[in-house]
Amino acid sequence: MATFISVPLKKSTEVDLVKPLTKFISATYSAAEDQGEYVRAAEELNKLRKSAVGRPLDKHESSLEVLLRYYDQLCVVEPKFPFSENQLCLTFTWKDAFDKGSLFGGSVKLALASLGYERSCVLFNIGALSSQIASEQNLDSDEGLKTAAKYYQLASGAFSYIKDTVLSALNREPTMDISPDTVGTLSQIMLAQAQEVFFLKATSDKMKDAIIARLANQAADFYGDAFKQCQYKENLPKEVLPVLAAKHCIMQANAEYHQSMLAKQQKKFGEEIGRLQHATDLVKTVASRYDEYVNVKDLSDKISRALAAAKKDNDFIYHDRVPDLKDLEAIGKAALVKSTVIKVPISQKFTDLFEKMVPLAVQNSMTVYNSRKAEIVNRLIGQMREATNLSNGVLASLNLPAALEDLSGDSIPQSILEKSRAIIQQGGLQSIDQLIKDLPELLQRNREILDESVRILDEEEATDNELRNKFGQRWQRTASNDLYKPLRTEGGNARNVLDKAVQADIVVKQRYGTHREMIALLCKPEAELNAAIPSANPAKTLQGSEVVSVLRALLANVNEVKMEREKLENDIKSAQFDMTSKFLTALAQDGAINEEAISVTELDNIYGGYTQKVLQSLKSQEEILGKIQNSHQEFSTMKQSNADANQREEMLKKLAAAHDSYVELSSNLKEGTKFYNELTEILLKFQNKCSDIVFARKTERDELLKDLQQSIAQQPSAPSFPAVPAYQSTPSSTATPATATSSVPTPAPRTVFVQSKPQPPARPPPPAIQAQAANTSTPPASGAGPIPPATQPVSTPGATPSPAQGPPYPTYQGYPGCYPMPVAYNPYAYGQYNMPYMYQAPGQAPYPNVQQPQQPGYPYPQQPYYPQQ
């Protein structure tokens, strides 16, 4: 079977997707049904990742299907969640597919908080597993050839897509296995193997030789390009380069062989022989250089038989001239393969787990649209409420309608009684006091949440800055100061909102202090209230006058305008429109959303009519109030007034103003309480966001610290060892001049001499040592000749002997010398003349051609005896 290259899978660590996704879903979607459905989808996504990445995968199409589904889900879910370092932070760690690791450093890996990184690594595994599945196919069957070609092209497309997108997806340098150069080479290798499979298919189908030759030549061209790209890729397995070179030659040989068959059919026998000779040379090159990786015996035999037959026929029959290789016509090429285009969804069985969730672009557009809508609604409602407050203030200053109801001068006007009952029903002073008491607690709670959020950001940023100053350029990650800018802006906005709310609370308390006395009076029983209001002379003469009738009609008109305004306010608040569909349609048609143009158009269609009605209501009120002021001036002139009447009228004005202030204060305090509660939810989400990103940063920091510690441990402590001291490499300075100037004898090889090996050259004799004991002065044996005078060293009395045998031993000050162990105890030590000493057992015949020791006993002087103290 032919040798095909497959790519190993990348390995990843486990990542919990459920917790961060659930937090985001709970914070973003309020409907309980949507939350439950999306949380279940997040759990399914986590299970899908474990199946695709968290376990070994079989070389089967079912395993590839799991990877394809997970990749499709990543592509679909990416626009629906804000995956980033400062929002929804998920850190994915992947190891280099080609790195085998080291004993101390471990394997090369990269951890990034980027879904694009996860997507690129999963796509790499899709290409790798596709190559493994294709390599496992039975190429002797038609189905196996089709499957192999399909998956090699899929692998080539996957690697090619990574090459084009990995840098933009990561925004930093990737690991070597997914770098553009590496995946580009892998894509070319997979394409060449797919072309080879088509060549094998054409061969098995016995297609025409011209077609087969073109297919083989194209495959050779693909392999040649892959070989050129792979020459400088040290991270790829060592067998890849020779296999590519061998495949290039084999495909060229096949092309030449089938082209020779075509030449034979065309009666071009010389060309046939020339091409077969070239094919033979190519096969011989493969057999001599790459026989370890590929087997070309069958192809070599086939080409040899064809060449022998062609030469025989040409020599005996045709006598055609064999052209040179350079004169042969180039073989054509036919590319039947191309990289599969990666287009989501790749899997035919894919179903989106978050199908009902709109993309993040639509969510962002909806957020901006809701802000625009809230701005318009608040402006219209604010204008109407301001106009209502103005109307109430004008009527209270004119003591209307109480002045028309108080013509008797001794009873409580009906409007004042109704206002008193309304205040009592709403809780009176106690409700206002309780609301004011709750505000500081709510404010303090929000401040504590905000302060805690900012504190954890400050602590992590301080740690990051400290480590950055410590490690310098090796601390390669986004600075916390830059990463936290959006969060700090959000926190600053929240603090500004709190400061403004505090100022508003102060204004509310001041207004409450101004009207508290009158509000307390309105809370009293009717009898006490009547006693508190001064009496006045009756003005019975005005009861049937025309001006009173006009004022009552105008007041009725004012009440009618107020009722219409309340209905209009409810209509404005309840106006709804399905903008999600609009944004989804725009995203599907144009690939982007022009939120401003779409929102402004739709909001104008929705609220344009309401704006006109509000303006008309304001204009009508202005006209009515003008008429009321004119009629009231006439009414005041006609009314007989005195001091008591003025006091009574002033009291009624204050009571009416107190009621209006109570209603406004109660509304403001309830809105303030609601505001603080809603702000608490927002700040808690902000705190969770800060906690999540800080936790992710701490995890990333620990991983980076671990990698830095491993890299520091692998670095040498110094660039080289220090120079060896002189006393360790030179003889002692106490030696005689003759000895000091002579070179140190070279030790003999530590091997036992055998008869077949020649004797080493003679070594210089050891220096003469003055006898230290009687047994060391034994003369040499009679058979040994005297030492020649030219080679006899000069002895200096009192000099420290220099060891001449074995490796040099250092001598130290105050120590007379160091002597080796006697040779009888170590058969591998050096002998008298630096010759290996051969131990001979008693009664054993001496070794032939080996010089025996010339001195009896131990030839070395004994060390001096030092008595124990």
Side-chain angles (χ1 to χ4, degrees), residues 273-295:
I273 295 173
R275 293 192 181 279
L276 288 174
Q277 288 177 343
H278 186 208
T280 301
D281 294 339
L282 291 170
V283 172
K284 287 181 179 178
T285 300
V286 175
S288 61
R289 297 183 181 180
Y290 312 114
D291 187 52
E292 178 184 355
Y293 303 99
V294 293
N295 185 5

Side-chain angles (χ1 to χ4, degrees), residues 598-615:
I598 298 175
S599 298
V600 169
T601 302
E602 293 301 326
L603 289 173
D604 185 63
N605 293 335
I606 299 171
Y607 295 103
Y610 292 123
T611 303
Q612 296 297 326
K613 291 181 179 180
V614 169
L615 294 177

Side-chain angles (χ1 to χ4, degrees), residues 14-173:
E14 185 177 355
V15 178
D16 183 15
L17 302 178
V18 177
K19 184 177 179 181
L21 292 181
T22 302
K23 280 187 176 181
F24 175 80
I25 291 169
S26 301
T28 306
Y29 300 95
S30 57
E33 296 180 0
D34 292 342
Q35 282 189 9
E37 183 176 354
Y38 295 155
V39 168
R40 287 191 294 271
E43 293 173 352
E44 290 297 323
L45 179 61
N46 196 53
K47 293 179 182 178
L48 184 59
R49 187 184 193 275
K50 288 183 178 180
S51 300
V53 178
R55 64 180 180 89
L57 296 177
D58 299 329
K59 299 176 183 179
H60 194 268
E61 295 180 14
S62 60
S63 299
L64 181 62
E65 179 65 28
V66 176
L67 271 176
L68 294 176
R69 285 176 51 216
Y70 180 54
Y71 177 79
D72 289 337
Q73 190 62 63
L74 288 177
C75 295
V76 172
V77 82
E78 188 172 14
K80 299 182 179 181
F81 290 93
F83 294 102
S84 64
E85 284 186 305
N86 55 1
Q87 295 188 60
L88 187 55
C89 185
L90 288 172
T91 302
F92 301 98
T93 304
W94 287 85
K95 298 180 180 179
D96 192 308
F98 300 110
D99 185 74
K100 303 301 181 182
S102 61
L103 179 60
F104 299 103
S107 57
V108 176
K109 59 185 178 181
L110 178 63
L112 285 180
S114 167
L115 197 71
Y117 175 54
E118 171 86 350
R119 186 163 37 83
S120 298
C121 293
V122 173
L123 187 58
F124 181 93
N125 275 4
I126 289 174
L129 187 58
S130 297
S131 70
Q132 295 177 14
I133 294 174
S135 300
E136 292 293 317
Q137 298 301 312
N138 180 14
L139 300 183
D140 294 331
S141 66
D142 190 63
E143 188 65 28
L145 289 169
K146 291 181 180 179
T147 304
K150 170 187 173 183
Y151 285 118
Y152 278 134
Q153 292 178 89
L154 175 59
S156 177
F159 293 134
S160 178
Y161 187 84
I162 298 174
K163 174 187 175 183
D164 297 334
T165 60
V166 65
L167 293 181
S168 60
L170 269 62
N171 293 324
R172 62 159 293 170
E173 192 69 23

Side-chain angles (χ1 to χ4, degrees), residues 460-480:
E460 200 284 326
E461 183 175 342
T463 304
D464 181 72
N465 293 335
E466 180 182 353
L467 293 173
R468 189 174 303 279
N469 294 331
K470 179 179 179 181
F471 293 104
Q473 295 182 352
R474 289 181 295 177
W475 194 251
Q476 296 179 350
R477 72 167 186 169
T478 306
S480 297

Side-chain angles (χ1 to χ4, degrees), residues 528-718:
E528 295 183 19
L529 178 60
N530 191 16
I533 299 175
S535 300
N537 295 326
K540 297 182 178 180
T541 56
L542 297 177
Q543 288 184 356
S545 65
E546 183 179 357
V547 66
V548 173
S549 301
V550 171
L551 283 174
R552 286 177 175 169
L554 292 173
L555 290 175
N557 293 337
V558 170
N559 292 331
E560 185 179 352
V561 169
K562 289 181 180 179
M563 293 177 61
E564 291 177 354
R565 197 171 287 162
E566 290 177 0
K567 182 177 181 302
L568 184 59
E569 180 176 338
N570 292 331
D571 292 342
I572 291 175
K573 287 181 178 180
S574 60
Q576 297 291 338
F577 186 76
D578 186 14
M579 288 298 296
T580 303
S581 302
K582 283 279 184 179
F583 289 138
L584 285 173
T585 303
L587 184 62
Q589 292 178 351
D590 304 331
I593 301 175
N594 188 353
E595 181 275 331
E596 183 177 1
I598 298 175
S599 298
V600 169
T601 302
E602 293 301 326
L603 289 173
D604 185 63
N605 293 335
I606 299 171
Y607 295 103
Y610 292 123
T611 303
Q612 296 297 326
K613 291 181 179 180
V614 169
L615 294 177
Q616 184 64 37
S617 175
L618 298 180
K619 185 178 179 180
S620 300
Q621 176 180 295
E622 185 179 358
E623 294 176 354
I624 296 173
L625 289 179
K627 294 179 180 179
I628 288 176
Q629 288 176 339
N630 294 332
S631 299
H632 182 269
Q633 186 176 3
E634 183 180 354
F635 173 77
S636 300
T637 303
M638 295 174 59
K639 186 177 180 182
Q640 297 178 359
S641 60
N642 52 29
D644 294 337
N646 291 336
Q647 291 179 2
R648 181 179 178 84
E649 186 174 358
E650 189 66 27
M651 176 62 73
L652 294 177
K653 289 180 181 180
K654 289 181 179 181
L655 291 174
H659 168 267
D660 295 338
S661 296
Y662 178 88
V663 173
E664 187 176 356
L665 287 171
S666 179
S667 176
N668 291 340
L669 290 171
K670 289 179 180 178
E671 288 180 357
T673 302
K674 180 182 178 183
F675 162 77
Y676 281 126
N677 289 327
E678 292 177 350
L679 185 61
T680 300
E681 296 180 3
I682 295 174
L683 290 178
L684 286 174
K685 294 177 182 178
F686 175 72
Q687 185 183 28
N688 291 335
K689 188 189 300 184
C690 294
S691 301
D692 291 343
I693 190 173
V694 167
F695 178 78
R697 293 283 288 178
K698 287 182 179 178
T699 305
E700 182 186 13
R701 181 191 66 197
D702 294 341
E703 291 286 338
L704 188 55
L705 278 174
K706 181 180 178 182
D707 295 341
L708 284 175
Q709 290 170 356
Q710 291 177 349
S711 64
I712 291 173
Q714 292 176 359
Q715 294 177 356
S717 301

